Amino acid sequence: MPAGTVVAEVFPGDTLPGFRTAPWGFTLSANSYTFLPAHAVPVPELCPLSLLLLFGFSDWVSAAIRYAIPEEARRGSAVGNVVADLALDLGRLPERRLRVVSGGNKKYFGVDLTSGALLVSERIDREELCGALSPCSLSFEIVVENPLELYSGAVEIQDINDNDPVFPSSQARLEISESVAAGARFPLESAQDPDVGINSLQTYQLSANPHFVLDVQTRVDGSKYAELVLEKELDREEQRELHLVLTALDGGSPPRSAHVQIHIDVVDANDNAPVFNQSTYKASVRENTPSGTLVARISAYDLDDGPNGDIVYSFSSHTPAKVRELFALDSATGELRVKGQLDYEETKLYEIYLQAKDKGVVPGVAHCKVLVEVVDVNDNAPEVTVTSVYSPVPEDAAPGTVVALLSVTDLDSHDNGLVNCFISPGIPFMLSSSLKNYYTLKTKAALDREKTSEYNITVTARDSGSPPLSAVKQILVQVSDVNDNAPKSSQDSYDVYVLENNVPGIPILDVSATDPDLGRNAHLSYSILQGGPTVGHLFSINQENGTLYLLTSLDHEDQVEFRMMVQVKDGGSPPLATNVSVSVFVTDLNDNAPTVLYPHPNTTATYTDVVAPGTPAGHMVTKVVAVDADAGYNAWISYTLLQAPDPSLFSVGLHSGEIFTARQLREDDAPQHTLVLDHGEPVLSSSATVTISVTEVVKEVLTDVAPANDPRRHVTFYLILAVILVSAAFFITMLSVGIFKCYKWRQSKELFNSSRSTLYRTPGPFHHIDAVRGGFTPPNFYHQVYLTTDSRQSDLLCKKPFTSSPLGSRQSTMRNGEPGLYHQIVGTTSRLPAPAEVT
């Protein structure tokens, strides 16, 4: 490379980080901001120059880098070290998933993750990519993740001299009148060279001759064309024809060339040549103008008469073939019309050279130029490219999480190429742009997979043309599940009723719960969390379906109620749980027969009650006392005389067990009677024998029963004493019961007045039949019962609960219509019909 060769141009304010002067020895020209080698240095086949321009953007880090390489670089050639230029960590490249994204169908560049070098991966032909445009650049983007960073870059493709100039034909023929004066100009066909810059066509050379010199002109676009200038007038009689060689040279080193043979015929003169009314015509046409549209009308005149004055219009010989494909010229009228499809994005200005030639033997020729400006129309819709999509997105992603990276391009210019992107409203996403033509799709609000598991987001890109054009891109974003929902039970608590003496191992309840999460987060397991000390031995729950099993047989008389807490837990990490309260009530069965307390059934002694003859009707002789370990209706005991010599002599209280005289006693009445029967389903009973002696004088009876010297006479005394004590105890008990009844009555009245509701409670154990009359209710008898002191004249008042207890799935163990479970009605007889109204 010779000293002084321009290597790169840097604008004021640009920096070159890491730029070293050795060993190349670059110097900076202060006037032009151009780097020049200080001395001639050898240049290898591939010598890329890396220029780094860094600037910051919001949202994510971004930068622009620029390199330059010659075209036709070998595959695998290094363009520059992007990792070093961007100050990236080389060791983290694999985990950050660095990749190069470029437009088009070919991937021209790649990155070596071991060295960080940007490598050429496809053949690069500058003429194929850019044609005559200069400079020629290939843009690319470098995307790295964790965190997301985007770097924009471009590689300038430098032209090499790999194309020869080419003439349209190998020979050219001209007819020039001998009368043409010196200074006349004759355009020649131009050579075409697809290279650009110094490697493009630079000049023309003409073989030595005495008549013509070559004048090389430059068009507006910088291309060269040649004209023959007559320096010495021609003389047909002296020389009828001339043979010249035109050589086209480019600026390469060494230069490439092309040759064309020019054959000039010298003819007799045509006195007047055509003349255009103006040398340059200007016109503008829209790029979507249909074929046949008039662009311009050229006009020329010729002062000659006849064929020498007839003018024919045509394209000049050096008009490019591309122009001839796009435009048509009427040879008679001079109208220039559109022939092909114009494209503003390809060529913005056409410089068309036309000529007017008369029909003389030696035709006169005039030349003009038409400048056709192509006006851009909005004929290119925007194009949306999805660079990266990060899906699925966890539903607990914070607002502002990047979901996708988009790039937008529009080939139009000005407002027609100004693109805006937007998405449909009503979704928790938004678009933001921090770099021109790049957008990021982010979350705008919290996501909820249970409401929406995926979003089909429509991205619309619309330009600012009139009318505007738009493009639509669909992006599918799935939402992944997070364990953010605890299991939910259909009920907060369950009440289960189980009959005692059940079969072990039966299911009694199905605890039902649901979880709107997905997968393991929705997999539920059930366990008994807490309860009494015996709950773990008596109950078991299926961990998979929540079925509660009873492991052993329960006894109502042992324990009436069991309370436990069932925990429903999902399989998330960390798991979420919900607790459900379960109450199991053991309902009573009539599995206990009444027990007679008096007279004692297990003794061989005979209990004798004494009553005097003549005792009037209604006199209480004695009382049989019995209890039942069952509860509720099963514990209500009724007394019945089973055997009596004279059924009309004595009567027994149905519920009190008191034996009364039914009529006045006589000495000849029978002395012995058997009674006692309980009331249950099924009915169970016990019996006791009571002996009643009818005598005038107690002493005589005692004498008859036990003589003076009989050792049992003291037993009779103790029996009488016991009767007196029992009577006294009975009186005290009745008094206490009356006081207690009065207290309970006042308490229930106050409670009724204050809350207007019935309180339910489970009373203590039932020890004595008189407790029924005293206001004590058996276990599981969940009604408040009020009786008068005389059971035979009692009125029943049952208060029904306001709401029935919720039952589990196994409440079918309860039998419909069982009086002991729902509506227990107790009357003054062993079985009473249902009352007309129950309050």
mmCIF file of all heavy atoms in Angstrom, residues 458-489:
data_model
loop_
_atom_site.group_PDB
_atom_site.id
_atom_site.type_symbol
_atom_site.label_atom_id
_atom_site.label_comp_id
_atom_site.label_asym_id
_atom_site.label_seq_id
_atom_site.Cartn_x
_atom_site.Cartn_y
_atom_site.Cartn_z
ATOM 1 N N THR A 458 -51.064 -9.858 17.947
ATOM 2 C CA THR A 458 -50.985 -9.345 16.579
ATOM 3 C C THR A 458 -50.218 -8.030 16.583
ATOM 4 O O THR A 458 -50.648 -7.050 17.196
ATOM 5 C CB THR A 458 -52.400 -9.126 16.007
ATOM 6 O OG1 THR A 458 -53.112 -10.373 16.026
ATOM 7 C CG2 THR A 458 -52.319 -8.614 14.588
ATOM 8 N N VAL A 459 -49.063 -8.033 15.916
ATOM 9 C CA VAL A 459 -48.245 -6.829 15.785
ATOM 10 C C VAL A 459 -48.517 -6.232 14.407
ATOM 11 O O VAL A 459 -48.342 -6.902 13.383
ATOM 12 C CB VAL A 459 -46.749 -7.145 15.957
ATOM 13 C CG1 VAL A 459 -45.924 -5.884 15.803
ATOM 14 C CG2 VAL A 459 -46.494 -7.785 17.310
ATOM 15 N N THR A 460 -48.953 -4.981 14.386
ATOM 16 C CA THR A 460 -49.268 -4.293 13.144
ATOM 17 C C THR A 460 -48.250 -3.191 12.901
ATOM 18 O O THR A 460 -48.025 -2.344 13.774
ATOM 19 C CB THR A 460 -50.686 -3.697 13.187
ATOM 20 O OG1 THR A 460 -51.630 -4.746 13.463
ATOM 21 C CG2 THR A 460 -51.040 -3.036 11.869
ATOM 22 N N ALA A 461 -47.604 -3.231 11.732
ATOM 23 C CA ALA A 461 -46.658 -2.182 11.326
ATOM 24 C C ALA A 461 -47.312 -1.384 10.203
ATOM 25 O O ALA A 461 -47.738 -1.952 9.193
ATOM 26 C CB ALA A 461 -45.344 -2.797 10.863
ATOM 27 N N ARG A 462 -47.388 -0.061 10.376
ATOM 28 C CA ARG A 462 -48.071 0.798 9.405
ATOM 29 C C ARG A 462 -47.182 1.990 9.083
ATOM 30 O O ARG A 462 -46.636 2.632 9.989
ATOM 31 C CB ARG A 462 -49.405 1.259 9.967
ATOM 32 C CG ARG A 462 -50.212 2.166 9.032
ATOM 33 C CD ARG A 462 -51.553 2.495 9.635
ATOM 34 N NE ARG A 462 -52.344 1.285 9.782
ATOM 35 C CZ ARG A 462 -53.326 1.148 10.680
ATOM 36 N NH1 ARG A 462 -53.603 2.128 11.516
ATOM 37 N NH2 ARG A 462 -54.003 0.010 10.744
ATOM 38 N N ASP A 463 -47.005 2.234 7.772
ATOM 39 C CA ASP A 463 -46.187 3.386 7.392
ATOM 40 C C ASP A 463 -47.046 4.649 7.352
ATOM 41 O O ASP A 463 -48.262 4.609 7.573
ATOM 42 C CB ASP A 463 -45.477 3.138 6.060
ATOM 43 C CG ASP A 463 -46.452 2.878 4.913
ATOM 44 O OD1 ASP A 463 -47.588 3.393 4.965
ATOM 45 O OD2 ASP A 463 -46.082 2.157 3.967
ATOM 46 N N SER A 464 -46.406 5.771 7.051
ATOM 47 C CA SER A 464 -47.085 7.070 7.074
ATOM 48 C C SER A 464 -47.435 7.555 5.681
ATOM 49 O O SER A 464 -47.668 8.745 5.465
ATOM 50 C CB SER A 464 -46.206 8.111 7.782
ATOM 51 O OG SER A 464 -45.925 7.708 9.103
ATOM 52 N N GLY A 465 -47.444 6.646 4.702
ATOM 53 C CA GLY A 465 -47.795 7.038 3.347
ATOM 54 C C GLY A 465 -49.272 7.330 3.200
ATOM 55 O O GLY A 465 -50.064 7.214 4.141
ATOM 56 N N SER A 466 -49.640 7.741 1.978
ATOM 57 C CA SER A 466 -51.046 8.055 1.697
ATOM 58 C C SER A 466 -51.416 7.374 0.388
ATOM 59 O O SER A 466 -50.969 7.798 -0.688
ATOM 60 C CB SER A 466 -51.246 9.560 1.605
ATOM 61 O OG SER A 466 -52.594 9.869 1.316
ATOM 62 N N PRO A 467 -52.237 6.313 0.432
ATOM 63 C CA PRO A 467 -52.772 5.689 1.653
ATOM 64 C C PRO A 467 -51.692 4.851 2.348
ATOM 65 O O PRO A 467 -50.768 4.370 1.703
ATOM 66 C CB PRO A 467 -53.897 4.794 1.098
ATOM 67 C CG PRO A 467 -53.423 4.433 -0.286
ATOM 68 C CD PRO A 467 -52.712 5.649 -0.796
ATOM 69 N N PRO A 468 -51.834 4.676 3.659
ATOM 70 C CA PRO A 468 -50.806 3.913 4.381
ATOM 71 C C PRO A 468 -50.891 2.420 4.069
ATOM 72 O O PRO A 468 -51.962 1.886 3.801
ATOM 73 C CB PRO A 468 -51.139 4.196 5.850
ATOM 74 C CG PRO A 468 -52.600 4.507 5.857
ATOM 75 C CD PRO A 468 -52.879 5.191 4.551
ATOM 76 N N LEU A 469 -49.758 1.775 4.111
ATOM 77 C CA LEU A 469 -49.664 0.329 3.957
ATOM 78 C C LEU A 469 -49.255 -0.280 5.289
ATOM 79 O O LEU A 469 -48.566 0.364 6.093
ATOM 80 C CB LEU A 469 -48.641 -0.046 2.873
ATOM 81 C CG LEU A 469 -48.936 0.472 1.465
ATOM 82 C CD1 LEU A 469 -47.828 0.049 0.509
ATOM 83 C CD2 LEU A 469 -50.284 -0.016 0.967
ATOM 84 N N SER A 470 -49.692 -1.490 5.517
ATOM 85 C CA SER A 470 -49.417 -2.118 6.805
ATOM 86 C C SER A 470 -49.076 -3.576 6.608
ATOM 87 O O SER A 470 -49.385 -4.179 5.573
ATOM 88 C CB SER A 470 -50.606 -1.973 7.764
ATOM 89 O OG SER A 470 -51.756 -2.608 7.215
ATOM 90 N N ALA A 471 -48.432 -4.127 7.614
ATOM 91 C CA ALA A 471 -48.099 -5.554 7.662
ATOM 92 C C ALA A 471 -48.449 -6.074 9.046
ATOM 93 O O ALA A 471 -48.387 -5.339 10.039
ATOM 94 C CB ALA A 471 -46.622 -5.786 7.354
ATOM 95 N N VAL A 472 -48.844 -7.332 9.097
ATOM 96 C CA VAL A 472 -49.284 -7.939 10.356
ATOM 97 C C VAL A 472 -48.401 -9.140 10.653
ATOM 98 O O VAL A 472 -48.082 -9.940 9.764
ATOM 99 C CB VAL A 472 -50.760 -8.373 10.282
ATOM 100 C CG1 VAL A 472 -51.170 -9.129 11.531
ATOM 101 C CG2 VAL A 472 -51.652 -7.158 10.096
ATOM 102 N N LYS A 473 -48.002 -9.264 11.909
ATOM 103 C CA LYS A 473 -47.202 -10.402 12.361
ATOM 104 C C LYS A 473 -47.838 -10.982 13.612
ATOM 105 O O LYS A 473 -48.181 -10.247 14.548
ATOM 106 C CB LYS A 473 -45.766 -9.956 12.665
ATOM 107 C CG LYS A 473 -44.794 -11.109 12.828
ATOM 108 C CD LYS A 473 -44.454 -11.723 11.481
ATOM 109 C CE LYS A 473 -43.357 -12.744 11.592
ATOM 110 N NZ LYS A 473 -42.993 -13.328 10.287
ATOM 111 N N GLN A 474 -48.011 -12.302 13.618
ATOM 112 C CA GLN A 474 -48.590 -12.984 14.773
ATOM 113 C C GLN A 474 -47.470 -13.568 15.632
ATOM 114 O O GLN A 474 -46.569 -14.238 15.127
ATOM 115 C CB GLN A 474 -49.527 -14.113 14.331
ATOM 116 C CG GLN A 474 -50.687 -13.668 13.465
ATOM 117 C CD GLN A 474 -51.744 -12.919 14.253
ATOM 118 O OE1 GLN A 474 -51.829 -13.039 15.468
ATOM 119 N NE2 GLN A 474 -52.556 -12.134 13.563
ATOM 120 N N ILE A 475 -47.548 -13.304 16.937
ATOM 121 C CA ILE A 475 -46.573 -13.852 17.891
ATOM 122 C C ILE A 475 -47.354 -14.608 18.957
ATOM 123 O O ILE A 475 -48.215 -14.037 19.637
ATOM 124 C CB ILE A 475 -45.724 -12.743 18.541
ATOM 125 C CG1 ILE A 475 -44.970 -11.957 17.463
ATOM 126 C CG2 ILE A 475 -44.756 -13.325 19.551
ATOM 127 C CD1 ILE A 475 -44.167 -10.799 18.024
ATOM 128 N N LEU A 476 -47.065 -15.880 19.092
ATOM 129 C CA LEU A 476 -47.726 -16.709 20.100
ATOM 130 C C LEU A 476 -46.858 -16.734 21.356
ATOM 131 O O LEU A 476 -45.707 -17.182 21.329
ATOM 132 C CB LEU A 476 -47.928 -18.139 19.586
ATOM 133 C CG LEU A 476 -48.606 -19.107 20.554
ATOM 134 C CD1 LEU A 476 -50.019 -18.633 20.874
ATOM 135 C CD2 LEU A 476 -48.634 -20.514 19.982
ATOM 136 N N VAL A 477 -47.416 -16.226 22.454
ATOM 137 C CA VAL A 477 -46.720 -16.189 23.743
ATOM 138 C C VAL A 477 -47.503 -17.060 24.713
ATOM 139 O O VAL A 477 -48.675 -16.798 24.994
ATOM 140 C CB VAL A 477 -46.612 -14.749 24.286
ATOM 141 C CG1 VAL A 477 -45.923 -14.746 25.644
ATOM 142 C CG2 VAL A 477 -45.842 -13.877 23.307
ATOM 143 N N GLN A 478 -46.865 -18.093 25.198
ATOM 144 C CA GLN A 478 -47.483 -18.985 26.177
ATOM 145 C C GLN A 478 -47.071 -18.583 27.577
ATOM 146 O O GLN A 478 -45.954 -18.108 27.804
ATOM 147 C CB GLN A 478 -47.088 -20.436 25.893
ATOM 148 C CG GLN A 478 -47.610 -20.961 24.565
ATOM 149 C CD GLN A 478 -47.200 -22.399 24.317
ATOM 150 O OE1 GLN A 478 -46.195 -22.860 24.820
ATOM 151 N NE2 GLN A 478 -48.004 -23.113 23.526
ATOM 152 N N VAL A 479 -47.974 -18.773 28.514
ATOM 153 C CA VAL A 479 -47.740 -18.422 29.919
ATOM 154 C C VAL A 479 -47.558 -19.719 30.696
ATOM 155 O O VAL A 479 -48.419 -20.598 30.669
ATOM 156 C CB VAL A 479 -48.920 -17.607 30.501
ATOM 157 C CG1 VAL A 479 -48.624 -17.207 31.944
ATOM 158 C CG2 VAL A 479 -49.179 -16.370 29.642
ATOM 159 N N SER A 480 -46.404 -19.841 31.360
ATOM 160 C CA SER A 480 -46.139 -21.051 32.149
ATOM 161 C C SER A 480 -46.699 -20.892 33.561
ATOM 162 O O SER A 480 -46.824 -19.779 34.087
ATOM 163 C CB SER A 480 -44.629 -21.326 32.211
ATOM 164 O OG SER A 480 -43.940 -20.241 32.803
ATOM 165 N N ASP A 481 -47.023 -22.019 34.157
ATOM 166 C CA ASP A 481 -47.715 -22.013 35.448
ATOM 167 C C ASP A 481 -46.748 -21.792 36.599
ATOM 168 O O ASP A 481 -45.605 -22.264 36.585
ATOM 169 C CB ASP A 481 -48.460 -23.335 35.644
ATOM 170 C CG ASP A 481 -49.297 -23.335 36.908
ATOM 171 O OD1 ASP A 481 -50.097 -22.402 37.086
ATOM 172 O OD2 ASP A 481 -49.131 -24.248 37.737
ATOM 173 N N VAL A 482 -47.232 -21.065 37.609
ATOM 174 C CA VAL A 482 -46.534 -20.853 38.879
ATOM 175 C C VAL A 482 -47.506 -21.228 39.986
ATOM 176 O O VAL A 482 -48.716 -20.993 39.868
ATOM 177 C CB VAL A 482 -46.061 -19.386 39.026
ATOM 178 C CG1 VAL A 482 -45.474 -19.151 40.406
ATOM 179 C CG2 VAL A 482 -45.035 -19.051 37.964
ATOM 180 N N ASN A 483 -46.986 -21.835 41.029
ATOM 181 C CA ASN A 483 -47.858 -22.288 42.119
ATOM 182 C C ASN A 483 -48.311 -21.085 42.949
ATOM 183 O O ASN A 483 -47.749 -20.777 44.002
ATOM 184 C CB ASN A 483 -47.115 -23.302 42.995
ATOM 185 C CG ASN A 483 -48.047 -24.001 43.973
ATOM 186 O OD1 ASN A 483 -49.251 -24.098 43.724
ATOM 187 N ND2 ASN A 483 -47.515 -24.471 45.072
ATOM 188 N N ASP A 484 -49.337 -20.409 42.452
ATOM 189 C CA ASP A 484 -49.840 -19.210 43.125
ATOM 190 C C ASP A 484 -51.272 -19.360 43.610
ATOM 191 O O ASP A 484 -51.886 -18.388 44.019
ATOM 192 C CB ASP A 484 -49.758 -18.004 42.181
ATOM 193 C CG ASP A 484 -50.520 -18.232 40.880
ATOM 194 O OD1 ASP A 484 -50.885 -19.391 40.608
ATOM 195 O OD2 ASP A 484 -50.734 -17.268 40.148
ATOM 196 N N ASN A 485 -51.807 -20.573 43.566
ATOM 197 C CA ASN A 485 -53.175 -20.807 44.041
ATOM 198 C C ASN A 485 -53.172 -21.965 45.024
ATOM 199 O O ASN A 485 -52.708 -23.071 44.705
ATOM 200 C CB ASN A 485 -54.111 -21.130 42.876
ATOM 201 C CG ASN A 485 -54.353 -19.947 41.970
ATOM 202 O OD1 ASN A 485 -55.153 -19.074 42.264
ATOM 203 N ND2 ASN A 485 -53.632 -19.900 40.856
ATOM 204 N N ALA A 486 -53.667 -21.691 46.229
ATOM 205 C CA ALA A 486 -53.799 -22.742 47.231
ATOM 206 C C ALA A 486 -55.015 -23.606 46.902
ATOM 207 O O ALA A 486 -55.960 -23.146 46.249
ATOM 208 C CB ALA A 486 -53.953 -22.134 48.627
ATOM 209 N N PRO A 487 -55.001 -24.878 47.307
ATOM 210 C CA PRO A 487 -56.188 -25.710 47.089
ATOM 211 C C PRO A 487 -57.418 -25.099 47.751
ATOM 212 O O PRO A 487 -57.327 -24.469 48.809
ATOM 213 C CB PRO A 487 -55.806 -27.039 47.740
ATOM 214 C CG PRO A 487 -54.324 -27.047 47.775
ATOM 215 C CD PRO A 487 -53.913 -25.622 47.957
ATOM 216 N N LYS A 488 -58.563 -25.296 47.145
ATOM 217 C CA LYS A 488 -59.812 -24.734 47.654
ATOM 218 C C LYS A 488 -60.820 -25.858 47.828
ATOM 219 O O LYS A 488 -61.133 -26.574 46.883
ATOM 220 C CB LYS A 488 -60.347 -23.681 46.696
ATOM 221 C CG LYS A 488 -61.585 -22.960 47.227
ATOM 222 C CD LYS A 488 -62.027 -21.869 46.274
ATOM 223 C CE LYS A 488 -63.248 -21.124 46.804
ATOM 224 N NZ LYS A 488 -63.686 -20.066 45.867
ATOM 225 N N SER A 489 -61.310 -25.987 49.053
ATOM 226 C CA SER A 489 -62.287 -27.026 49.348
ATOM 227 C C SER A 489 -63.692 -26.514 49.064
ATOM 228 O O SER A 489 -63.976 -25.317 49.175
ATOM 229 C CB SER A 489 -62.169 -27.463 50.812
ATOM 230 O OG SER A 489 -63.177 -28.405 51.141
#
